Structure formats: structure tokens, C-alpha cells
Amino acid sequence: MSSHDDIELLLSAGVPLAGERKDLLSLDFAAVSEAVIRVLDSTSEEKPRDAIRGWLIALNDHYPTLFARHFSSPKIIAAIASPRTGRDIKLRRLALSHLRDVA
């Protein structure tokens, strides 16, 4: 999967990235988890990493069973392990507004 495809999938999952969100009939959270890891591995840019972190925090806080099932890899856990910042809280709130449509 290309990085563009990964970003498209993350947008559809509700990650608060700039871009047009496409609604999917069903969302494969295992594929989203893999895309999260690929994007975290491939970019050092702050904005996408922060957006993914906010989305993961929202997912962990409000959908813990879904998070545990698909997003419990050590790399993902490490991405949300540090203390939360104001930016994390803002992005978490944005992610929640999208997550309720897909989770």
C-alpha cells in the first residue's frame, strides 16, 4: 500500500488530518492499524504523527475493546505513552467527532 493510500485510509477512519474524508461502507481496523504503523515509521513530520496520536488516544479512551483488539502493538502503545499535551486533547476531541461514525 502506498503512503497516499495509507493517508486515505486514515482519513476514512477519522484521523484528524487535512484532506477530504471518504466514507467507507465498512472499515477494516486491522488494515488501519497497519497503516498507522507504516505512517509512523515513514514520517518524522509532526502534524501527521500528532493527528494519529490524538486519534489513537481517542480510540483508547472511548473504544478500549476495539483498541485492544487491533491497536495494541508495542509501536502503537509507545506512540501514546508520553503525557498528554493540550494539542493531544484538541486532536482527540476532533478525532472523537469522526470516530462515532466509524467505530
Side-chain angles (χ1 to χ4, degrees):
M1 189 176 271
S2 74
S3 64
H4 176 73
D5 292 339
D6 286 337
I7 296 297
E8 291 286 319
L9 181 58
L10 295 179
L11 280 168
S12 295
V15 175
L17 292 161
E20 188 174 327
R21 189 172 154 234
K22 294 180 183 177
D23 293 328
L24 299 176
L25 293 176
S26 66
L27 194 60
D28 179 357
F29 282 100
V32 174
S33 176
E34 293 168 6
V36 164
I37 291 170
R38 282 192 297 271
V39 171
L40 290 175
D41 283 346
S42 68
T43 188
S44 60
E45 292 181 44
E46 215 172 285
K47 287 185 180 185
R49 294 180 73 81
D50 288 351
I52 289 169
R53 178 176 155 86
W55 185 84
L56 289 168
I57 290 169
L59 191 68
N60 190 33
D61 286 354
H62 293 275
Y63 302 93
T65 303
L66 181 63
F67 183 89
R69 185 176 304 130
H70 298 288
F71 298 90
S72 59
S73 78
K75 190 165 287 204
I76 290 176
I77 298 299
I80 64 169
S82 60
R84 294 180 185 182
T85 66
R87 182 164 174 74
D88 292 331
I89 293 166
K90 175 185 173 186
L91 290 167
R92 176 187 165 276
R93 198 172 26 239
L94 285 170
L96 278 175
S97 69
H98 298 297
L99 269 171
R100 68 176 66 111
D101 296 335
V102 297

